[in-house]
């Protein structure tokens, strides 16, 4: 991949890089020790495979920090620990960050920002924990920080293909990945009516401005998910910084009767909860009723502060007080949801429309979600949108399609309007105890077939000044047989909502090489032509707001020049 620009000093000569032929490995992990222990066997296997690959190339791969027998894993599990580990690593050494798990980028980012040697991020191609998601987050964080790096991923670390890419990094400190699918908006013809509509939407946002309600920044160390205020303000959007403690307090003030009313609405709409009795391992009605109270509280706080969208951090702090907020988030993102009135009033809050929620308080997704809602509303297209993790992907084992199919998956915050069957096919499973001690229901379902626009706003810090960028493209959500869907859920997290997505004109490796985040934003359109219009309009709005926009891939399957975004 092309190396980002940086002011960081580089080794004076390639000979210094190659001698001695040793590299250092570090592994960033979760902040939750139970997750680190459970996931350690997968990480251990990845490190063994990588060590063997380096040995084939004539190199030694040394661990930069010891495995702890008492803790049952070898991850860096905190920011302080990461600082101490990097203090003992030669700053000029070739460094490998190997990830088979979700990781907190803030555990290693401080050390990586001052490391003088070449950096390689690596993940195994597996949806299990998953390292792919962790690596993409770290890559996005490094890009925002302006730290140069190369990146690799593999199904098989013993393959000739991986050996070739590894050799390229060892010899030249760079790995070439194909990003020919990326086209600047400057090369794309925007129809005049679309351009005029974009100017109107962008001008309105800058004039009336919008508030993004942020319930504590920096979820799970996602440095790349925090937009610097200066860049955000230029788009007409400002942050209302709220505390999760306020959300907790407001949740305690919601009455039992109101919570029961929300749950009754959900069950009457057709949602099926898989209830049990053991609070520690099963979903209970008490957990869901607390989530219903949080839903009411979130709407009331957003209304009280005049927020146009909100993001709940939910992973740290709040998870020790309340069940997971994913069910809440999925409800907020849908137009059809339990009605909530202002406290002491009959006024229904955000009636008939979503309150855009950005999962894991990812502000880049929040800005994207806000723009998507306004663009789709102007076009008369479905306004519901959500982020997903780029979790994994595989060839379809049922042979329903000959296309390579992504697994887009998030922890439960997808709106039921995206599901086949809507609320009637929505299910609630207990969140895994490994992540959520107090449980809580997911909002699970299988995304319906249709045409979507995908996008990602990201922060580029590799030049002279930070800037906001947007990648945008088109994809098709397809239906797969139940058995194949189940296989994919079992290979990832079976309790969570899933989307079977085929990206147009973008291979697996092209997506991985370019994407600067673990998250991807998705929204449906009524048909392919409508999705094309929505993509063009959103891209034009983003450009008018000062965001650097690139189209990725094509408008549909095939290699026809008519499907390209840019000029032939």
């Amino acid at each position: 991949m092309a190396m980002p620009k940086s002011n960081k000093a580089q080794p004076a000569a390639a000979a210094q890089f190659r001698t001695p032929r040793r590299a250092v490995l570090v592994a960033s992990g979760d902040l939750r020790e139970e997750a680190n222990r459970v996931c350690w066997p997968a990480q251990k296997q990845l490190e063994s495979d990588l060590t063997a690959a380096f040995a084939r190339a004539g190199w030694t791969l040394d661990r930069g920090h010891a495995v702890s027998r008492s803790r049952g894993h070898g991850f860096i599990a905190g920011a302080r620990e990461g600082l101490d580990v990097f203090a003992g690593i030669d700053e000029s050494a070739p460094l490998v960050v190997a990830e088979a798990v979700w990781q907190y980028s803030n555990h290693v980012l401080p050390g990586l920002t001052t490391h003088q040697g070449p950096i390689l991020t690596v993940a195994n191609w597996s949806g299990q924990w998953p390292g792919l998601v962790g690596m993409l987050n770290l890559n996005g964080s490094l890009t925002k920080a302006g730290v140069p790096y190369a990146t690799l991923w593999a199904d098989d670390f013993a393959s000739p293909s991986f050996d070739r890419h590894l050799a390229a990094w060892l010899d030249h400190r760079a790995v070439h990945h194909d990003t020919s699918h990326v086209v600047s908006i400057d090369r794309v013809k925007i129809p005049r009516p679309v351009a005029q509509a974009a100017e109107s939407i962008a001008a309105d946002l800058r004039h009336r401005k919008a508030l993004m309600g942020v319930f504590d920044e920096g979820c799970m160390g996602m440095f790349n998910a925090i937009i610097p205020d200066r860049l955000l303000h230029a788009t007409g959007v400002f942050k209302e910084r709220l505390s999760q403690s306020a959300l907790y307090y407001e949740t305690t003030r919601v009455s039992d009767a109101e919570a029961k009313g929300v749950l009754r609405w959900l069950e009457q709409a057709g949602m099926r909860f898989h209830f049990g009795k053991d609070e520690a391992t099963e979903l209970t009605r008490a957990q869901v009723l607390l989530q219903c109270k949080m839903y009411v509280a979130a709407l009331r706080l957003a209304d009280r502060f005049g927020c146009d969208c909100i993001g709940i951090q939910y992973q740290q702090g709040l998870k020790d007080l309340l069940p997971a907020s994913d069910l809440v988030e999925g409800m907020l993102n849908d137009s059809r949801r339990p009605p909530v009135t202002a406290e002491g009033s009959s006024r229904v809050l955000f009636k008939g429309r979503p309150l855009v929620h950005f999962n894991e308080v990812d502000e880049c997704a929040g800005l994207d979600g806000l723009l998507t809602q306004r663009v789709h509303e102007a076009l008369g297209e479905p306004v519901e949108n959500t982020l997903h993790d780029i979790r994994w992907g595989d060839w379809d084992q049922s042979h329903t399609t000959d296309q390579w199919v992504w697994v887009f998956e998030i922890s439960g915050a997808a709106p039921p309007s995206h599901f086949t069957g809507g609320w009637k096919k929505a299910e609630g499973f207990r969140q895994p105890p490994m992540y959520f001690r107090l449980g809580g229901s997911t909002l699970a379902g299988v995304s319906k077939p249709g045409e979507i626009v995908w996008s990602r706003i990201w922060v580029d810090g590799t030049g002279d000044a930070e800037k906001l960028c947007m990648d945008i493209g088109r994809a098709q959500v397809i239906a797969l047989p139940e058995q194949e869907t189940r296989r994919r859920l079992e290979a990832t997290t079976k309790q969570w909502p899933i989307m079977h997505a085929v990206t147009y004109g973008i291979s697996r490796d092209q997506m991985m090489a370019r994407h600067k985040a673990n998250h991807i934003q998705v929204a449906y359109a009524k048909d392919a032509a409508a999705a094309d219009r929505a993509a063009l309009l959103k891209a034009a709005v983003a450009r008018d707001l000062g965001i650097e926009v690139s189209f990725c891939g094509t408008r549909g399957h095939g290699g026809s020049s008519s499907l390209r975004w840019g000029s032939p």
Side-chain angles (χ1 to χ4, degrees), residues 208-489:
R208 292 195 297 163
K209 299 181 176 55
L211 271 184
M212 174 186 289
V214 178
F215 285 97
D216 294 339
E217 289 184 311
C219 181
M220 298 188 292
M222 293 193 295
F223 175 72
N224 69 317
I226 302 172
I227 300 179
D229 288 49
R230 176 183 60 82
L231 297 182
L232 186 64
H233 294 174
T235 70
V237 181
F238 292 73
K239 298 178 191 178
E240 180 69 71
R241 286 181 166 88
L242 303 167
S243 171
Q244 291 192 106
S245 63
L247 180 58
Y248 173 69
Y249 173 68
E250 193 72 20
T251 298
T252 66
R253 298 182 65 246
V254 177
S255 70
D256 291 344
E258 288 176 299
K260 290 176 181 177
V262 171
L263 178 54
R264 183 165 55 250
W265 188 99
L266 295 173
E267 292 181 321
Q268 289 176 349
M271 184 171 179
R272 182 162 64 98
F273 292 95
H274 297 266
F275 287 124
K277 296 181 179 179
D278 184 357
E279 288 277 356
T281 60
E282 297 177 310
L283 181 67
T284 65
R285 293 186 73 86
Q287 292 171 17
V288 175
L289 286 170
L290 266 176
Q291 290 178 297
C292 293
K293 289 185 176 184
M294 196 195 312
Y295 167 70
V296 174
L299 284 162
R300 286 178 175 165
L301 282 171
D303 175 67
R304 187 178 307 160
F305 286 92
C307 296
D308 297 272
C309 59
I310 63 169
I312 302 171
Q313 184 185 137
Y314 97 108
Q315 281 278 1
Q316 299 305 328
L318 198 65
K319 71 170 178 56
D320 299 319
L321 297 168
L322 292 169
S325 58
D326 300 276
L327 172 63
V328 176
E329 297 164 12
M331 285 192 278
L332 293 175
N333 275 331
D334 212 305
S335 298
R336 182 172 174 249
R337 52 182 172 76
V340 173
T341 58
E343 187 175 13
S345 168
S346 60
R347 177 172 60 91
V348 177
L349 304 179
F350 302 92
K351 185 177 181 180
R353 60 189 175 94
L355 169 59
V356 173
H357 182 277
F358 42 107
N359 184 261
E360 296 165 353
V361 75
D362 182 342
E363 294 167 5
C364 295
L367 177 58
D368 200 329
L370 183 65
L371 297 182
T372 300
Q373 185 183 49
R374 296 194 177 197
V375 164
H376 280 232
E377 187 173 41
L379 293 173
E381 296 296 324
V383 295
E384 291 85 1
N385 67 103
T386 186
L387 62 77
H388 279 281
D389 278 333
I390 298 183
R391 180 64 184 261
W392 178 60
D394 195 10
W395 294 103
D396 169 27
Q397 301 300 306
S398 71
H399 305 294
T400 301
T401 177
D402 60 0
Q403 300 290 330
W404 197 87
V405 185
W406 284 101
V407 172
F408 291 166
E409 192 174 82
I410 195 57
S411 51
S417 61
H418 282 193
F419 300 160
T420 298
W423 281 107
K424 291 182 179 179
K425 291 295 184 180
E427 296 183 84
F429 299 94
R430 191 201 193 277
Q431 285 282 13
M434 177 174 73
Y435 297 122
F436 298 98
R437 179 177 61 85
L438 300 179
S441 175
T442 59
L443 184 44
V446 180
S447 293
K448 61 189 178 184
E451 299 289 335
I452 63 169
V453 178
W454 68 263
S455 52
R456 174 64 192 182
I457 291 175
W458 49 284
V459 181
D460 185 357
T462 62
D464 295 332
E466 285 183 320
K467 59 184 176 182
L468 277 180
C469 301
M470 172 189 275
D471 287 348
I472 189 165
R474 289 269 288 102
Q476 180 184 32
V477 182
I478 65 170
L480 293 176
E482 183 176 351
Q483 184 176 358
E484 175 66 4
T485 297
R486 179 54 49 189
R487 181 183 78 87
R488 289 166 176 262
L489 285 168

Side-chain angles (χ1 to χ4, degrees), residues 505-521:
I506 308 172
S507 69
R508 178 194 88 169
D509 291 343
Q510 285 176 323
M511 176 68 86
M512 293 296 296
R514 171 68 180 185
H515 210 71
K516 303 302 181 188
N518 47 310
H519 291 151
I520 188 168
Q521 201 77 11

